[in-house]
Amino acid sequence: MNLTSQLKSDKIDYNGFENTGYWAYQTSWSDDGNFIVFNLMVDSNLELFTIKKDGSALTRITNNSDSDYSPTWLN
């Protein structure tokens, strides 16, 4: 299942990111297997997001001028 083809939440809509400059990569699963953290390129800057394994609850974690790389979950 592709969880990042249409990234949407109440506050975020990156629908069709392939055609608008958004792209997701560098994923990491939470220990309980319920969430994924990943990078998303937003306006030429890498930001961190989480999403539930069912594709719901998209949440932006970072919003700054620095690029945020290699997300991982800590125990």
Side-chain angles (χ1 to χ4, degrees):
M1 173 190 288
N2 184 347
L3 298 179
T4 59
S5 63
Q6 294 184 354
L7 298 172
K8 293 182 183 181
S9 75
D10 292 346
K11 300 176 185 174
I12 302 166
D13 185 356
Y14 295 118
N15 187 22
F17 67 91
E18 297 94 342
N19 299 321
T20 58
Y22 301 113
W23 48 278
Y25 77 109
Q26 292 190 338
T27 61
S28 177
W29 284 90
S30 63
D31 285 342
D32 63 8
N34 289 318
F35 287 88
I36 302 171
V37 64
F38 60 95
N39 288 109
L40 182 67
M41 183 68 73
V42 179
D43 298 325
S44 300
N45 185 30
L46 287 173
E47 299 293 353
L48 300 180
F49 290 78
T50 59
I51 194 168
K52 284 188 175 181
K53 68 180 179 182
D54 66 3
S56 67
L58 175 67
T59 304
R60 186 172 183 167
I61 303 299
T62 61
N63 187 2
N64 57 60
S65 60
D66 295 326
S67 286
D68 302 294
Y69 294 97
S70 303
T72 58
W73 293 94
L74 298 176
N75 297 341

Coordinates of all heavy atoms in Angstrom, one line a residue:
M1 N 0.8 -1.2 0.0 CA 0.0 0.0 0.0 C 0.9 1.2 0.0 O 1.8 1.4 0.8 CB -0.9 0.0 1.2 CG -1.7 1.3 1.4 SD -2.5 1.5 3.0 CE -3.8 0.3 2.8
N2 N 0.6 2.2 -0.9 CA 1.3 3.4 -0.9 C 0.6 4.4 0.0 O -0.4 4.9 -0.3 CB 1.4 4.0 -2.3 CG 2.2 5.2 -2.5 OD1 2.6 5.8 -1.5 ND2 2.5 5.6 -3.7
L3 N 1.2 4.8 1.1 CA 0.6 5.7 2.1 C 0.9 7.1 1.8 O 0.3 8.0 2.4 CB 1.2 5.4 3.5 CG 0.8 4.0 4.1 CD1 1.5 3.8 5.4 CD2 -0.6 3.7 4.1
T4 N 1.8 7.4 0.9 CA 2.1 8.8 0.6 C 1.7 9.3 -0.7 O 2.1 10.4 -1.1 CB 3.7 9.0 0.8 OG1 4.3 8.2 -0.1 CG2 4.1 8.7 2.2
S5 N 0.8 8.6 -1.4 CA 0.4 9.1 -2.7 C -0.5 10.3 -2.6 O -0.6 11.1 -3.5 CB -0.2 8.0 -3.5 OG -1.4 7.5 -2.9
Q6 N -1.3 10.3 -1.6 CA -2.2 11.5 -1.3 C -2.2 11.8 0.1 O -2.9 11.4 1.0 CB -3.6 11.1 -1.7 CG -3.8 10.9 -3.2 CD -5.2 10.7 -3.6 OE1 -6.1 10.6 -2.8 NE2 -5.5 10.6 -4.9
L7 N -1.2 12.7 0.5 CA -1.0 13.1 1.9 C -2.0 14.1 2.3 O -1.9 15.3 1.8 CB 0.4 13.5 2.1 CG 1.5 12.5 1.8 CD1 2.9 13.2 1.9 CD2 1.4 11.4 2.8
K8 N -2.9 13.8 3.2 CA -3.9 14.8 3.6 C -4.2 14.7 5.1 O -4.2 13.6 5.7 CB -5.2 14.5 2.9 CG -5.2 14.8 1.4 CD -6.6 14.6 0.8 CE -6.5 14.7 -0.7 NZ -7.8 14.5 -1.3
S9 N -4.5 15.8 5.7 CA -5.0 15.8 7.1 C -5.9 17.1 7.2 O -6.1 17.8 6.2 CB -3.9 15.9 8.1 OG -3.3 17.2 8.2
D10 N -6.4 17.4 8.4 CA -7.2 18.6 8.5 C -6.4 19.9 8.2 O -7.0 20.8 7.7 CB -7.6 18.8 10.0 CG -8.6 17.7 10.4 OD1 -9.2 17.0 9.5 OD2 -8.9 17.5 11.6
K11 N -5.1 19.9 8.4 CA -4.3 21.1 8.2 C -3.3 20.9 7.0 O -2.7 21.9 6.6 CB -3.5 21.3 9.4 CG -4.3 21.6 10.6 CD -3.5 21.8 11.9 CE -4.3 21.9 13.1 NZ -3.6 21.9 14.3
I12 N -3.2 19.7 6.4 CA -2.2 19.5 5.4 C -2.8 18.8 4.2 O -3.6 17.9 4.3 CB -1.1 18.5 5.9 CG1 -0.4 19.1 7.2 CG2 0.0 18.3 4.9 CD1 0.4 18.1 7.9
D13 N -2.5 19.3 3.0 CA -2.9 18.6 1.8 C -1.8 18.6 0.7 O -1.6 19.6 0.1 CB -4.2 19.3 1.2 CG -4.8 18.6 0.0 OD1 -4.2 17.6 -0.4 OD2 -5.8 19.0 -0.4
Y14 N -1.2 17.5 0.6 CA -0.1 17.3 -0.4 C -0.6 16.4 -1.5 O 0.2 15.6 -1.9 CB 1.2 16.9 0.2 CG 1.8 17.9 1.2 CD1 2.0 17.6 2.5 CD2 2.2 19.1 0.7 CE1 2.5 18.5 3.4 CE2 2.7 20.1 1.6 CZ 2.9 19.7 2.9 OH 3.4 20.7 3.8
N15 N -1.8 16.4 -1.8 CA -2.4 15.6 -2.9 C -1.7 15.8 -4.2 O -1.5 16.9 -4.6 CB -3.9 15.8 -3.0 CG -4.6 14.8 -3.9 OD1 -4.1 13.7 -4.1 ND2 -5.7 15.2 -4.5
G16 N -1.3 14.7 -4.8 CA -0.6 14.9 -6.1 C 0.8 15.4 -6.0 O 1.2 16.1 -6.9
F17 N 1.5 15.1 -4.9 CA 2.8 15.7 -4.7 C 3.8 15.4 -5.8 O 4.7 16.1 -6.1 CB 3.4 15.3 -3.4 CG 3.7 13.9 -3.2 CD1 5.0 13.4 -3.6 CD2 2.8 12.9 -2.8 CE1 5.3 12.1 -3.5 CE2 3.1 11.6 -2.7 CZ 4.4 11.2 -3.0
E18 N 3.6 14.3 -6.5 CA 4.5 13.9 -7.6 C 4.6 15.0 -8.7 O 5.6 15.3 -9.3 CB 4.1 12.6 -8.3 CG 4.1 11.4 -7.4 CD 2.8 11.1 -6.8 OE1 1.9 12.0 -6.8 OE2 2.6 10.0 -6.3
N19 N 3.5 15.8 -8.9 CA 3.4 16.8 -9.9 C 3.6 18.2 -9.4 O 3.6 19.1 -10.2 CB 2.0 16.7 -10.6 CG 1.8 15.4 -11.3 OD1 2.7 14.8 -11.8 ND2 0.6 14.9 -11.2
T20 N 3.8 18.3 -8.1 CA 3.9 19.7 -7.5 C 5.2 19.9 -6.8 O 5.3 20.9 -6.0 CB 2.7 20.0 -6.6 OG1 2.7 19.0 -5.6 CG2 1.4 20.0 -7.4
G21 N 6.1 19.0 -6.8 CA 7.4 19.2 -6.2 C 7.5 18.6 -4.8 O 8.5 18.8 -4.2
Y22 N 6.5 17.9 -4.3 CA 6.6 17.2 -3.0 C 7.0 15.7 -3.3 O 6.5 15.1 -4.2 CB 5.3 17.2 -2.3 CG 4.7 18.6 -2.1 CD1 3.6 19.0 -2.7 CD2 5.3 19.4 -1.2 CE1 3.1 20.3 -2.5 CE2 4.8 20.7 -0.9 CZ 3.7 21.1 -1.6 OH 3.2 22.3 -1.3
W23 N 7.9 15.2 -2.4 CA 8.2 13.8 -2.5 C 8.6 13.3 -1.2 O 9.2 14.0 -0.4 CB 9.2 13.5 -3.6 CG 10.4 14.3 -3.6 CD1 10.6 15.6 -4.1 CD2 11.7 14.0 -3.0 NE1 11.8 16.1 -3.9 CE2 12.6 15.1 -3.3 CE3 12.2 12.9 -2.4 CZ2 13.9 15.2 -2.9 CZ3 13.6 13.0 -2.0 CH2 14.4 14.1 -2.2
A24 N 8.3 12.0 -0.9 CA 8.5 11.4 0.5 C 9.6 10.3 0.3 O 9.6 9.6 -0.6 CB 7.3 10.9 1.0
Y25 N 10.4 10.2 1.4 CA 11.4 9.1 1.4 C 12.0 9.0 2.8 O 11.6 9.7 3.7 CB 12.5 9.3 0.3 CG 13.5 10.4 0.7 CD1 14.8 10.0 1.0 CD2 13.2 11.7 0.7 CE1 15.8 10.9 1.3 CE2 14.2 12.7 1.0 CZ 15.5 12.3 1.3 OH 16.4 13.2 1.6
Q26 N 12.9 8.1 3.0 CA 13.6 7.7 4.2 C 12.6 7.5 5.3 O 12.4 8.3 6.2 CB 14.6 8.9 4.6 CG 15.8 9.0 3.7 CD 16.8 9.9 4.3 OE1 16.6 10.7 5.1 NE2 18.1 9.7 3.8
T27 N 11.9 6.3 5.2 CA 10.9 6.0 6.2 C 11.5 5.2 7.3 O 12.5 4.5 7.2 CB 9.8 5.2 5.5 OG1 10.4 4.0 5.0 CG2 9.1 5.9 4.4
S28 N 10.8 5.2 8.5 CA 11.1 4.4 9.6 C 9.8 4.0 10.4 O 9.0 4.9 10.7 CB 12.1 5.1 10.6 OG 12.4 4.4 11.7
W29 N 9.6 2.7 10.6 CA 8.4 2.3 11.4 C 8.6 2.4 12.9 O 9.7 2.2 13.4 CB 8.2 0.8 11.1 CG 7.6 0.6 9.7 CD1 8.3 0.3 8.6 CD2 6.2 0.5 9.4 NE1 7.4 0.2 7.5 CE2 6.1 0.3 8.0 CE3 5.0 0.7 10.1 CZ2 4.9 0.2 7.3 CZ3 3.8 0.6 9.5 CH2 3.7 0.4 8.1
S30 N 7.5 2.8 13.6 CA 7.6 2.8 15.0 C 7.7 1.4 15.6 O 7.4 0.4 14.9 CB 6.3 3.5 15.6 OG 5.2 2.7 15.2
D31 N 8.2 1.2 16.8 CA 8.4 -0.1 17.4 C 7.1 -0.9 17.4 O 7.1 -2.1 17.3 CB 8.9 0.0 18.8 CG 10.4 0.4 18.8 OD1 11.1 0.2 17.8 OD2 10.9 0.8 19.9
D32 N 5.9 -0.2 17.7 CA 4.7 -1.0 17.7 C 4.1 -1.2 16.3 O 3.0 -1.9 16.2 CB 3.6 -0.2 18.6 CG 3.3 1.1 18.1 OD1 3.6 1.5 17.0 OD2 2.5 1.9 18.8
G33 N 4.7 -0.7 15.3 CA 4.3 -0.9 13.9 C 3.0 -0.1 13.5 O 2.4 -0.4 12.5
N34 N 2.7 0.8 14.3 CA 1.5 1.6 14.0 C 1.7 2.9 13.2 O 0.8 3.5 12.6 CB 0.7 1.9 15.3 CG 0.0 0.7 15.8 OD1 -0.5 -0.1 15.1 ND2 0.1 0.5 17.1
F35 N 2.9 3.4 13.3 CA 3.3 4.7 12.6 C 4.5 4.6 11.8 O 5.4 3.8 12.0 CB 3.5 5.8 13.7 CG 2.3 6.3 14.4 CD1 1.8 5.6 15.5 CD2 1.6 7.3 13.9 CE1 0.7 6.0 16.2 CE2 0.4 7.8 14.5 CZ 0.0 7.1 15.7
I36 N 4.6 5.5 10.8 CA 5.8 5.7 10.0 C 6.2 7.1 10.1 O 5.4 8.0 10.0 CB 5.5 5.3 8.5 CG1 5.0 3.9 8.4 CG2 6.8 5.5 7.7 CD1 4.5 3.6 7.0
V37 N 7.5 7.3 10.3 CA 8.1 8.7 10.2 C 8.8 8.7 8.9 O 9.4 7.8 8.5 CB 9.0 9.0 11.4 CG1 10.2 8.1 11.5 CG2 9.3 10.5 11.4
F38 N 8.8 9.9 8.2 CA 9.4 10.0 6.9 C 9.8 11.4 6.6 O 9.3 12.4 7.2 CB 8.5 9.4 5.8 CG 7.2 10.1 5.6 CD1 7.0 11.1 4.7 CD2 6.1 9.7 6.4 CE1 5.8 11.8 4.6 CE2 4.9 10.3 6.3 CZ 4.7 11.4 5.4
N39 N 10.7 11.6 5.6 CA 11.0 12.9 5.1 C 10.1 13.3 4.0 O 9.7 12.4 3.2 CB 12.4 13.0 4.5 CG 13.5 12.9 5.5 OD1 14.2 11.9 5.7 ND2 13.7 14.0 6.3
L40 N 9.7 14.5 3.9 CA 9.0 15.0 2.7 C 9.6 16.3 2.3 O 9.8 17.2 3.1 CB 7.5 15.2 3.1 CG 6.6 15.7 2.0 CD1 6.4 14.6 1.0 CD2 5.2 16.1 2.6
M41 N 9.9 16.4 1.0 CA 10.5 17.6 0.4 C 9.3 18.6 0.3 O 8.4 18.4 -0.5 CB 11.1 17.4 -0.9 CG 11.8 18.6 -1.5 SD 13.2 19.2 -0.6 CE 14.4 17.9 -1.0
V42 N 9.4 19.8 1.0 CA 8.4 20.8 0.9 C 9.1 22.1 0.5 O 9.9 22.6 1.3 CB 7.6 21.0 2.2 CG1 6.6 22.1 2.1 CG2 7.0 19.7 2.7
D43 N 8.8 22.6 -0.7 CA 9.4 23.9 -1.1 C 10.9 23.8 -1.0 O 11.6 24.7 -0.4 CB 8.9 25.1 -0.4 CG 7.4 25.2 -0.6 OD1 6.9 24.9 -1.7 OD2 6.7 25.7 0.4
S44 N 11.5 22.8 -1.5 CA 13.0 22.6 -1.6 C 13.6 22.4 -0.2 O 14.8 22.7 0.0 CB 13.7 23.8 -2.3 OG 13.2 23.8 -3.6
N45 N 12.9 22.0 0.8 CA 13.4 21.8 2.1 C 12.8 20.5 2.7 O 11.6 20.2 2.6 CB 12.9 23.0 3.0 CG 13.5 22.9 4.4 OD1 14.6 22.4 4.6 ND2 12.8 23.4 5.4
L46 N 13.7 19.7 3.3 CA 13.2 18.4 3.9 C 12.6 18.7 5.3 O 13.2 19.3 6.1 CB 14.4 17.4 4.0 CG 14.9 16.8 2.8 CD1 16.1 16.0 3.0 CD2 13.8 15.9 2.1
E47 N 11.4 18.2 5.4 CA 10.7 18.2 6.7 C 10.3 16.8 7.2 O 10.3 15.9 6.3 CB 9.4 19.1 6.6 CG 9.7 20.5 6.2 CD 10.4 21.4 7.2 OE1 10.7 20.9 8.4 OE2 10.8 22.5 6.9
L48 N 10.0 16.6 8.4 CA 9.6 15.3 9.0 C 8.1 15.3 9.2 O 7.5 16.2 9.7 CB 10.3 15.1 10.3 CG 11.9 15.0 10.3 CD1 12.4 14.8 11.7 CD2 12.4 14.0 9.3
F49 N 7.5 14.1 8.9 CA 6.1 13.9 9.1 C 5.9 12.5 9.7 O 6.8 11.6 9.5 CB 5.4 13.9 7.7 CG 5.3 15.2 7.1 CD1 6.4 15.8 6.5 CD2 4.1 15.9 7.1 CE1 6.3 17.1 5.9 CE2 4.0 17.2 6.5 CZ 5.1 17.7 5.9
T50 N 4.8 12.2 10.3 CA 4.4 10.9 10.7 C 3.0 10.6 10.1 O 2.3 11.5 9.8 CB 4.3 10.7 12.2 OG1 3.3 11.6 12.7 CG2 5.6 10.9 12.9
I51 N 2.7 9.3 9.9 CA 1.4 8.9 9.4 C 1.1 7.5 10.0 O 2.1 6.7 10.3 CB 1.4 8.9 7.9 CG1 0.0 8.8 7.3 CG2 2.3 7.8 7.3 CD1 -0.1 9.0 5.8
K52 N -0.1 7.2 10.3 CA -0.5 5.9 10.8 C -0.4 4.9 9.6 O -0.5 5.3 8.4 CB -1.9 5.9 11.3 CG -2.1 6.6 12.7 CD -3.5 6.3 13.2 CE -3.6 6.9 14.6 NZ -4.9 6.6 15.2
K53 N -0.3 3.6 10.0 CA -0.1 2.6 9.0 C -1.3 2.5 8.0 O -1.2 2.0 6.9 CB 0.2 1.3 9.6 CG -0.9 0.7 10.4 CD -0.5 -0.7 11.0 CE -1.6 -1.3 11.8 NZ -1.1 -2.5 12.4
D54 N -2.5 3.0 8.5 CA -3.7 2.9 7.6 C -3.8 4.2 6.7 O -4.8 4.3 6.0 CB -4.9 2.7 8.5 CG -5.3 3.9 9.4 OD1 -4.5 4.9 9.3 OD2 -6.2 3.8 10.1
G55 N -2.8 5.1 6.8 CA -2.8 6.3 6.0 C -3.5 7.5 6.6 O -3.5 8.5 6.0
S56 N -4.0 7.3 7.8 CA -4.6 8.5 8.5 C -3.6 9.2 9.4 O -2.5 8.7 9.6 CB -5.8 7.9 9.3 OG -5.4 7.1 10.4
A57 N -4.1 10.2 10.0 CA -3.3 11.0 11.0 C -2.0 11.5 10.6 O -1.0 11.5 11.3 CB -3.2 10.1 12.3
L58 N -2.0 12.1 9.4 CA -0.8 12.7 8.9 C -0.4 13.9 9.8 O -1.3 14.8 10.0 CB -0.9 13.2 7.4 CG 0.2 14.0 6.8 CD1 1.4 13.1 6.6 CD2 -0.2 14.6 5.5
T59 N 0.8 14.0 10.3 CA 1.2 15.0 11.2 C 2.6 15.6 10.7 O 3.5 14.8 10.6 CB 1.3 14.5 12.6 OG1 0.1 14.0 13.0 CG2 1.7 15.6 13.6
R60 N 2.7 16.8 10.6 CA 4.0 17.5 10.3 C 4.7 17.7 11.6 O 4.2 18.3 12.5 CB 3.8 18.8 9.6 CG 5.1 19.4 9.1 CD 4.8 20.6 8.2 NE 6.0 21.2 7.7 CZ 6.1 22.1 6.8 NH1 5.0 22.5 6.2 NH2 7.2 22.6 6.3
I61 N 5.9 17.2 11.7 CA 6.7 17.2 12.9 C 7.6 18.5 12.9 O 7.8 19.1 14.0 CB 7.6 16.0 13.1 CG1 6.7 14.7 13.1 CG2 8.4 16.0 14.4 CD1 5.7 14.7 14.2
T62 N 8.2 18.8 11.8 CA 9.1 19.9 11.7 C 8.6 20.9 10.7 O 7.9 20.6 9.8 CB 10.6 19.5 11.3 OG1 10.5 18.9 10.0 CG2 11.2 18.6 12.3
N63 N 9.0 22.2 10.9 CA 8.6 23.3 10.0 C 9.6 24.4 10.2 O 9.4 25.3 11.0 CB 7.2 23.8 10.3 CG 6.7 24.8 9.3 OD1 7.4 25.1 8.3 ND2 5.5 25.3 9.5
N64 N 10.7 24.2 9.6 CA 11.8 25.2 9.8 C 12.6 25.4 8.5 O 12.4 24.7 7.5 CB 12.7 24.8 11.0 CG 13.3 23.4 10.8 OD1 14.0 23.1 9.8 ND2 13.0 22.5 11.7
S65 N 13.6 26.3 8.5 CA 14.4 26.5 7.3 C 15.5 25.5 7.2 O 16.2 25.5 6.1 CB 15.0 27.9 7.4 OG 15.8 28.1 8.5
D66 N 15.8 24.7 8.2 CA 16.8 23.6 8.1 C 16.2 22.4 7.4 O 15.1 22.1 7.6 CB 17.4 23.3 9.4 CG 18.1 24.4 10.1 OD1 18.7 25.2 9.3 OD2 18.0 24.5 11.3
S67 N 17.0 21.6 6.7 CA 16.6 20.3 6.2 C 16.7 19.3 7.3 O 17.8 19.2 8.0 CB 17.4 19.9 5.0 OG 17.0 20.7 3.9
D68 N 15.7 18.5 7.5 CA 15.7 17.5 8.6 C 15.8 16.1 7.9 O 15.0 15.7 7.1 CB 14.4 17.6 9.3 CG 14.2 19.0 10.0 OD1 15.0 19.3 10.8 OD2 13.3 19.7 9.5
Y69 N 16.9 15.4 8.2 CA 17.3 14.2 7.5 C 17.1 12.9 8.4 O 17.1 13.0 9.6 CB 18.8 14.2 7.1 CG 19.1 15.2 6.1 CD1 19.6 16.5 6.5 CD2 18.9 15.0 4.8 CE1 19.9 17.4 5.5 CE2 19.2 15.9 3.8 CZ 19.7 17.1 4.2 OH 20.1 18.1 3.3
S70 N 17.0 11.8 7.8 CA 17.1 10.4 8.4 C 16.3 10.2 9.6 O 16.8 10.0 10.7 CB 18.6 10.1 8.7 OG 19.3 10.2 7.5
P71 N 14.9 10.3 9.5 CA 14.1 10.1 10.7 C 14.2 8.7 11.2 O 14.2 7.7 10.4 CB 12.7 10.5 10.2 CG 12.8 10.1 8.8 CD 14.2 10.5 8.3
T72 N 14.2 8.5 12.5 CA 14.2 7.2 13.1 C 13.5 7.2 14.4 O 13.4 8.3 15.1 CB 15.6 6.6 13.4 OG1 16.3 7.5 14.3 CG2 16.4 6.4 12.1
W73 N 12.9 6.1 14.9 CA 12.2 6.0 16.2 C 13.2 5.6 17.2 O 14.1 4.8 17.0 CB 11.1 5.0 16.1 CG 10.0 5.4 15.2 CD1 9.8 5.1 13.9 CD2 8.9 6.3 15.5 NE1 8.7 5.7 13.4 CE2 8.1 6.4 14.4 CE3 8.4 6.9 16.7 CZ2 6.9 7.1 14.3 CZ3 7.3 7.6 16.7 CH2 6.5 7.8 15.5
L74 N 13.1 6.2 18.4 CA 13.9 5.8 19.6 C 13.1 5.0 20.5 O 11.9 5.3 20.8 CB 14.5 7.0 20.2 CG 15.5 7.9 19.4 CD1 15.9 9.1 20.2 CD2 16.7 7.1 19.0
N75 N 13.7 4.0 21.2 CA 13.0 3.2 22.2 C 12.9 4.0 23.5 O 13.7 4.7 23.9 CB 13.8 1.9 22.5 CG 13.8 1.1 21.2 OD1 13.0 1.2 20.3 ND2 14.7 0.1 21.2

